[in-house]
């Protein structure tokens, strides 16, 4: 099958690498652009080991429009873009807001500009459940209110969604699918690719697996006095391979002109709210490995509870996140063990 080219920005990153695997499996020609600011070029070896195909790789920065133009001149078969490239650390964004606004927004605007110039049919954009803030009701649907952003990072997602809407409604000759991820976790079951956190992890699962393997002394559970059944926060943890698969369907809708509206928005979650303490318990039961933890004070800015109503994605994309959480926890653990074996961590 001769399928068109898909440009995956941030394709050596966590979600981008898993999506590249699924795109290659579906027969697409994948071109990755990544500046390696938060990933390693060795990820390409993992992708090749899983799929037997090495994606084309351009080491460049998406904020450099000349580099983007050169890429489109070279790869003339690109019909779709999946834009993962962004800076994503919430805390860092509070310290360095300009870095976040510049990187995340200039990346998107450059891509949108090139799309008209090079006749690209559509762009899939990585948004986040962070746009819902602390929801009034759970689960959240795509029509739940957007709340004021609580960090510059979150604000870049809200502004990016608005930029896409404005550009497309101005008559741009392309469409967009905006995907709002909940909490992506786990790794490819082969343990050949996974999440590579930089420094001390801020997110729950990498901190948990690093604690389980002994790199960290104990996991701090941020708060057990929330208004939830066990007092810890509730999230919708979605398996990264399930998440990756939704991108294949999304980009297909764009390049096969199947979108119902010029901008489509989907929540990508499981529909199940799981508490932090429940997650630790699931990890321990699934792997047989104990996680030393203590209850710590609440983390500033944390949302008490948020989980998705994924019905829209289930019905329109024909996509379901159905990997059992225990399998996802085993994949995260296997990946942590692989990192140790490779001497990376
Ligand atoms: P990641 O950091 O692993 O991947 C992002 C990749 O983009 C990295 O490889 C980085 O080197 C690259 N990059 C960053 N800026 C770039 C630039 N200007 N030019 C070229 N490459 C650049 O992050 P991820 O977890 O895979 O997230 C992917 C996307 O999904 C991001 O947009 C993120 O905001 C969004 N998202 C992530 C989560 C999550 O919890 N992981 C949740 C919701 C949304
Ligand atoms: C999950 C839960 C913590 C670490 C962030 C971004 C969000 C989105 C996903 C990109 C919370 C608790 C965590 C720890 C803990 N990213 N926790 N001890 O905060 O839901 O979302 O990533 O768009 O925008 O804000 O994810 O993994 O940091 O935390 O108790 O050491 O785990 O309090 O309740 P979060 P997380």
């Amino acid at each position: 099958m001769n399928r068109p080219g898909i440009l995956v920005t941030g394709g050596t990153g966590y979600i981008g690498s898993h999506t590249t695997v699924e795109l290659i499996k579906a027969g697409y020609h994948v071109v990755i652009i990544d500046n390696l600011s938060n990933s390693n070029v060795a990820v390409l070896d993992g992708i090749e080991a899983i799929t037997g195909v090495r994606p084309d790789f351009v080491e460049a920065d998406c904020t450099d429009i000349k580099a983007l133009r050169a890429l489109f001149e070279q790869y003339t078969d690109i019909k779709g873009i999946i834009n993962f490239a962004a800076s994503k650390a919430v805390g860092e964004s509070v310290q360095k807001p300009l870095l976040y606004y510049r990187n995340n927004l200039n990346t998107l605007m450059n891509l949108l500009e090139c799309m008209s110039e090079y006749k690209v049919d559509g762009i899939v954009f990585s948004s986040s459940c962070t746009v819902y803030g602390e929801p009034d009701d759970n689960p959240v649907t795509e029509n739940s209110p957007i709340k004021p952003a609580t960090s510059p990072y979150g604000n870049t997602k809200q502004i990016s969604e608005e930029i896409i809407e404005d550009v497309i409604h101005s008559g741009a000759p392309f469409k967009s699918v905006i995907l709002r991820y909940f909490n992506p976790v786990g790794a490819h079951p082969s343990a050949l690719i996974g999440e590579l956190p930089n420094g001390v992890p801020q997110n729950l699962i990498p901190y948990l697996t690093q604690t389980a393997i002994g790199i960290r002394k104990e996991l701090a559970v941020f708060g057990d006095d929330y208004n939830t059944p066990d007092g810890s926060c509730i999230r919708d943890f979605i398996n990264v391979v399930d998440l990756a698969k939704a991108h294949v369907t999304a980009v297909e809708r764009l390049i096969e002109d199947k979108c119902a509206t010029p901008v489509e928005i989907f929540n990508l979650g499981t529909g199940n709210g799981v508490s932090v303490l429940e997650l630790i318990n699931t990890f321990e039961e699934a792997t047989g490995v104990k996680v030393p933890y203590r209850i710590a004070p609440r983390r500033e800015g944390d949302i008490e509870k948020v989980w998705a109503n994924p019905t829209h994605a289930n019905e329109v994309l024909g996509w379901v996140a159905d990997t059992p959480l225990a399998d996802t926890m085993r994949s995260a653990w296997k990946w942590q063990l692989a990192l140790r074996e490779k001497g990376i961590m």
Side-chain angles (χ1 to χ4, degrees):
M1 193 167 26
N2 220 353
R3 291 201 145 173
I6 307 294
L7 176 63
V8 180
T9 79
T12 46
Y14 174 44
I15 307 170
S17 56
H18 290 81
T19 300
T20 296
V21 164
E22 298 307 317
L23 287 167
I24 291 173
K25 278 165 68 179
Y28 288 101
H29 167 219
V30 177
V31 180
I32 290 176
I33 179 170
D34 202 301
N35 64 2
L36 304 178
S37 57
N38 198 35
S39 55
N40 193 299
V41 74
V43 168
L44 298 174
D45 299 334
I47 294 170
E48 187 176 4
I50 296 169
T51 63
V53 176
R54 196 171 184 86
D56 284 314
F57 177 67
V58 176
E59 183 180 341
D61 197 306
C62 297
T63 62
D64 175 358
I65 197 158
K66 283 195 193 130
L68 277 179
R69 289 198 174 109
L71 183 154
F72 282 106
E73 299 284 349
Q74 184 180 354
Y75 298 101
T76 52
D77 67 334
I78 292 172
K79 288 285 158 220
I81 299 175
I82 308 183
N83 180 29
F84 294 107
S87 305
K88 66 159 183 179
V90 176
E92 186 187 46
S93 80
V94 177
Q95 305 303 320
K96 301 175 183 170
L98 289 179
L99 187 154
Y100 274 68
Y101 287 115
R102 195 169 282 138
N103 195 40
N104 296 4
L105 301 182
N106 286 345
T107 288
L108 175 66
M109 291 190 291
N110 281 348
L111 291 168
L112 294 172
E113 202 153 319
C114 287
M115 287 177 73
S116 300
E117 290 171 23
Y118 295 96
K119 301 196 173 17
V120 180
D121 294 331
I123 182 164
V124 178
F125 179 74
S126 300
S127 190
S128 165
C129 67
T130 189
V131 302
Y132 301 116
E134 182 77 63
D136 303 325
D137 298 298
N138 277 294
V140 292
T141 73
E142 290 78 1
N143 295 321
S144 295
I146 302 296
K147 295 285 177 70
T150 53
S151 70
Y153 166 75
N155 209 18
T156 68
K157 293 301 174 191
Q158 297 196 2
I159 297 171
S160 294
E161 290 197 7
E162 289 171 3
I163 290 174
I164 291 171
E165 298 267 5
D166 287 348
V167 169
I168 289 183
H169 291 147
S170 77
F174 51 79
K175 293 183 178 172
S176 180
V177 176
I178 292 172
L179 301 176
R180 293 179 180 154
Y181 315 152
F182 282 66
N183 286 57
V185 291
H188 194 270
S190 64
L192 290 164
I193 54 173
E195 187 172 10
L196 253 190
N198 223 338
V200 180
Q202 304 301 309
N203 295 112
L204 178 59
I205 288 299
Y207 205 104
L208 185 157
T209 56
Q210 289 191 11
T211 306
I213 210 164
I215 299 172
R216 315 266 160 221
K217 197 167 134 262
E218 61 185 3
L219 170 70
V221 172
F222 298 137
D224 69 345
D225 57 352
Y226 285 98
N227 182 24
T228 59
D230 64 21
S232 64
C233 292
I234 294 180
R235 295 290 183 274
D236 186 336
F237 299 99
I238 174 172
N239 179 282
V240 67
V241 177
D242 287 343
L243 183 72
K245 288 178 179 163
H247 293 74
V248 180
T249 315
V251 82
E252 229 149 59
R253 288 177 74 71
L254 290 164
I255 61 185
E256 292 174 11
D257 203 15
K258 288 185 193 152
C259 292
T261 51
V263 181
E264 292 186 326
I265 301 180
F266 297 99
N267 281 345
L268 296 183
T270 65
N272 299 317
V274 173
S275 77
V276 173
L277 290 171
E278 283 172 337
L279 190 80
I280 296 171
N281 198 35
T282 305
F283 178 89
E284 291 186 336
E285 279 181 4
T287 62
V289 180
K290 278 274 165 211
V291 182
Y293 71 86
R294 72 184 159 87
I295 305 298
R298 292 182 177 196
R299 182 171 71 177
E300 203 190 320
D302 260 339
I303 303 299
E304 180 172 273
K305 45 182 180 274
V306 59
W307 66 95
N309 177 336
T311 307
H312 188 48
N314 299 160
E315 291 181 357
V316 178
L317 301 179
W319 166 92
V320 186
D322 55 6
T323 302
L325 190 57
D327 290 358
T328 305
M329 292 300 101
R330 273 188 285 271
S331 74
W333 180 234
K334 196 172 162 189
W335 170 244
Q336 186 67 62
L337 292 171
L339 286 176
R340 183 171 65 184
E341 213 158 275
K342 288 180 197 145
I344 297 174
M345 238 169 241

